[in-house]
């Protein structure tokens, strides 16, 4: 099953899409971090001309923005993880249907994961066929 989840077109497309979204999100995050860094540097330059209260207020505002940015990042990360988990769940469901079809066609009453098998006849391995059929769906 692990091989199929790694090599199937559906799982590969899902990983590619999540990676694209992650890259876009990372680019936006980097932009926002740069803006915060620039604002922090500007605030440091203004420290001598600002009152202590004004400086503290601006510093707190920057810290709040940084915390908000971190929260947004964690939230987006969780969304992407959830999206990936949902997609893999759909691939697993489709794989279960494919395995069921193959089992019915071959008269197999039990399908086991390779990781649980110590020794078996190679003719009983349906991995390649399941992968091909899954990719056709």
């Amino acid at each position: 099953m692990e091989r199929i989840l790694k090599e199937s077109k559906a799982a590969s497309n899902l990983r590619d899409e999540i990676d694209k979204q992650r890259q876009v999100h990372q680019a936006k995050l980097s932009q926002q971090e740069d803006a915060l860094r620039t604002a922090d540097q500007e605030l440091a330059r203004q420290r001598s001309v600002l009152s202590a209260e004004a400086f503290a207020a601006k510093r707190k505002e920057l810290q709040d923005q940084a915390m908000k940015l971190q929260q947004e990042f964690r939230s987006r990360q969780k969304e992407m993880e959830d999206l990936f988990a949902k997609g893999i769940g759909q691939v697993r469901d489709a794989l279960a249907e494919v395995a069921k079809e193959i089992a019915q066609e071959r008269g197999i009453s039990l399908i086991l994961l390779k990781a649980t098998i110590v020794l078996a006849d190679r003719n009983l391995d349906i991995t390649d066929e399941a992968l091909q059929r899954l990719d056709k769906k």
Side-chain angles (χ1 to χ4, degrees):
M1 179 176 286
E2 293 306 314
R3 178 177 155 221
I4 293 172
L5 291 177
K6 280 183 181 179
E7 296 179 13
S8 72
K9 288 178 184 176
S12 180
N13 291 342
L14 175 63
R15 278 189 297 279
D16 290 346
E17 183 61 32
I18 295 295
D19 285 344
K20 284 179 191 174
Q21 288 183 20
R22 187 173 283 125
Q23 289 172 357
V24 167
H25 181 62
Q26 186 62 43
K28 287 179 185 178
L29 177 67
S30 293
Q31 231 176 6
Q32 292 172 326
E33 285 176 335
D34 289 344
L36 275 176
R37 201 172 295 112
T38 301
D40 187 51
Q41 291 168 351
E42 181 61 29
L43 180 60
R45 283 192 287 275
Q46 294 176 356
R47 185 174 194 159
S48 61
V49 293
L50 291 175
S51 68
E53 297 82 22
F55 178 79
K58 288 188 180 245
R59 171 67 68 194
K60 181 171 178 359
E61 183 181 325
L62 284 175
Q63 289 172 340
D64 290 347
Q65 288 175 0
M67 287 180 65
K68 182 180 177 190
L69 188 60
Q70 288 175 348
Q71 289 172 344
E72 288 175 14
F73 176 74
R74 284 192 295 268
S75 174
R76 184 66 180 139
Q77 244 183 340
K78 184 173 178 350
E79 286 175 19
M80 286 187 283
E81 289 169 2
D82 291 347
L83 185 63
F84 182 75
K86 182 180 177 184
I88 287 295
Q90 292 171 343
V91 172
R92 284 180 190 268
D93 291 346
L95 177 57
E97 286 299 315
V98 166
K100 184 178 177 182
E101 291 169 7
I102 293 170
Q104 288 173 343
E105 291 169 10
R106 292 189 181 184
I108 299 171
S109 60
L110 177 67
I111 296 177
L112 300 171
L113 296 175
K114 276 187 179 181
T116 62
I117 300 171
V118 176
L119 182 65
D121 185 341
R122 282 198 135 327
N123 293 330
L124 297 175
D125 186 356
I126 64 168
T127 304
D128 291 333
E129 185 177 350
L131 181 58
Q132 289 172 356
R133 288 189 187 191
L134 182 62
D135 284 346
K136 288 180 182 177
K137 285 192 171 200

